Amino acid sequence: MRGARILGTGRALPPRVVTNAELTTRMDTTEEWIVQRTGIRERRFVDPGTGASDLGVQASRVAIERAGLTPKDIQFLVFATLSPDMFFPGCGVLVQEKMGMDTIGALDVRTQCTGFLYGLSVAEAYVKAGFYDYVLVIGAEVQSTGMDLSTAGRDVSVIFGDGGGAAVVGPSDPGRGILSSHLHSEGKYARELMAEAPASIEHPRISKEMIDAGRHYGTMNGRYVFTHAVRRFPEVIREALEANGMTLSDLSIVIPHQANLRITQAVAKALEVPPEKVFSNIEKYGNTTAASIPIALDECIEEGRIREGDIVCLAAFGSGFTWASTLIRW
Ligand code: COA
């Protein structure tokens, strides 16, 4: 079977920077609390009129160009987001239309923070099997329109930001590129990190009472998420290495989902790898859910932190709970 590798990446960050200082004018919080608990100094919020699909398109244009391709070359696309432009249809078809692509298949993935890695595994399988040659994988989020920016929502809303990232996956020699994907879920924790509404089990799905009660905002059991994340990240990274007969010393860099700086630091400690081997850019963008890994990967490549032959591990944990890893020989 042929291999599958990432041919190009791109990212899109809205120009509007929202600092911790700005958040202190909207809710009862402090810059110190946010930095100390999360490592975040600023994040980006979109201006009205920009949806997740727009960030996805912007990132995809760059990724496709860097892959040396045009939108017409893409044969299938996967869009991962928890914040689609509309309840249905998903963002995939919007990207197909906005980029003037042929009537290719467009799949939406909704596994939140692991969405990009779940999407990448689909691309990996399709390309390795010869089903498609070029698959576009997008992770993009507009969190800012779904957060309670008053004091009542401060534990969640200081963490999340908007952004988009994309990667084009294409054929490679066997043994080069994506070596394996490892995907997990544990739905008994679904309610520990969720946005409850609109909800098909409610009649109607959304009502003034539900909105007044804030049931359309994301809620999070922060301590619970933290405890599970610091266990699952190292576990799924080790799983990827073991599956490929490698050890931690083979790793060139880990690019984790940017959940929280303290989680990233705890992962480095648990794996006993130097902190500089675990990439972090959360201080600039906050947690951008499905977008955080492709944004981070794109920055790593741009900064020259990934060279040909490097062993790169992408890893994620989040709402669901879901967790995943992808091991790549660059
Ligand atoms: N500013 C100031 N105070 C805040 C605050 C904010 N933005 N958010 C919460 N607080 C308050 C709480 O109300 C609480 O006050 P109390 O002691 O008077 O009740 C206090 O800070 C401590 O809250 P607690 O929840 O115990 O803090 P924590 O040390 O557990 O940190 C998180 C909270 C959310 C930062 C932490 O649990 C965490 O990092 N969880 C993982 C979150 C994450 O990464 N999510 C993304 C997953 S993909």
Side-chain angles (χ1 to χ4, degrees):
M1 195 163 39
R2 66 182 181 173
R5 72 183 182 98
I6 294 175
L7 302 174
T9 58
R11 65 182 187 274
L13 279 316
R16 184 161 129 60
V17 176
V18 177
T19 60
N20 291 345
E22 182 177 337
L23 292 183
T24 66
T25 66
R26 305 185 66 163
M27 62 182 79
D28 180 14
T29 190
T30 63
E31 295 187 59
E32 298 71 40
W33 195 98
I34 302 171
V35 172
Q36 195 195 44
R37 300 296 221 287
T38 70
I40 300 164
R41 294 182 184 277
E42 57 189 44
R43 72 285 294 142
R44 307 294 178 93
F45 283 2
V46 294
D47 292 318
T50 300
S53 72
D54 298 304
L55 297 176
V57 165
Q58 218 182 308
S60 297
R61 288 200 195 287
V62 180
I64 292 169
E65 197 187 320
R66 290 207 184 127
L69 301 171
T70 71
K72 294 274 185 210
D73 295 315
I74 302 298
Q75 295 163 334
F76 189 79
L77 77 89
V78 187
F79 200 121
T81 188
L82 64 69
S83 48
D85 292 23
M86 56 188 100
F87 194 67
F88 75 85
C91 281
V93 296
L94 304 182
V95 170
Q96 178 275 328
E97 205 276 324
K98 287 179 187 181
M99 297 195 72
M101 291 164 160
D102 293 334
T103 56
I104 59 169
L107 173 70
D108 281 77
V109 168
R110 30 176 327 165
T111 55
Q112 297 66 247
C113 307
T114 56
F116 183 77
L117 297 193
Y118 269 69
L120 204 54
S121 76
V122 172
E124 175 199 0
Y126 278 168
V127 171
K128 282 184 176 173
F131 205 57
Y132 295 118
D133 286 333
Y134 299 114
V135 178
L136 174 66
V137 185
I138 303 166
E141 304 284 1
V142 173
Q143 308 273 16
S144 54
T145 51
M147 299 194 298
D148 180 357
L149 289 163
S150 74
T151 298
R154 65 183 180 175
D155 61 323
V156 174
S157 54
V158 299
I159 292 179
F160 295 95
D162 303 342
V168 176
V169 177
S172 72
D173 295 333
R176 179 170 180 213
I178 301 172
L179 301 176
S180 62
S181 297
H182 304 270
L183 313 174
H184 297 279
S185 71
E186 202 170 22
K188 69 180 172 191
Y189 300 119
R191 303 187 84 76
E192 307 301 338
L193 179 50
M194 65 161 181
E196 203 183 6
S200 60
I201 53 171
E202 300 283 349
H203 299 259
R205 283 179 189 176
I206 188 85
S207 64
K208 184 174 179 309
E209 289 71 33
M210 289 162 85
I211 292 173
D212 288 346
R215 291 173 63 192
H216 58 304
Y217 291 132
T219 56
M220 172 176 76
N221 181 341
R223 288 193 176 180
Y224 223 80
V225 172
F226 194 94
T227 313
H228 283 255
V230 298
R231 180 159 68 99
R232 296 304 192 185
F233 267 111
E235 194 179 279
V236 80
I237 292 167
R238 286 201 165 96
E239 182 184 1
L241 291 167
E242 275 165 28
N244 290 281
M246 294 185 195
T247 65
L248 288 162
S249 62
D250 292 304
L251 270 181
S252 308
I253 192 163
V254 177
I255 303 176
H257 160 55
Q258 304 290 302
N260 178 317
L261 184 62
R262 288 194 314 170
I263 291 176
T264 301
Q265 288 168 339
V267 170
K269 202 166 162 215
L271 293 174
E272 296 177 358
V273 298
E276 61 273 15
K277 269 199 175 185
V278 185
F279 185 78
S280 175
N281 61 4
I282 195 166
E283 67 170 338
K284 296 188 288 184
Y285 309 129
N287 177 335
T288 57
T289 310
S292 92
I293 289 180
I295 292 172
L297 177 62
D298 191 51
E299 286 198 347
C300 276
I301 294 168
E302 212 167 80
E303 290 170 17
R305 292 185 63 172
I306 301 177
R307 284 178 296 273
E308 200 175 320
D310 278 357
I311 299 296
V312 179
C313 190
L314 314 179
F317 174 89
S319 161
F321 289 154
T322 59
W323 60 103
S325 62
T326 309
L327 198 69
I328 303 170
R329 188 192 308 279
W330 205 262

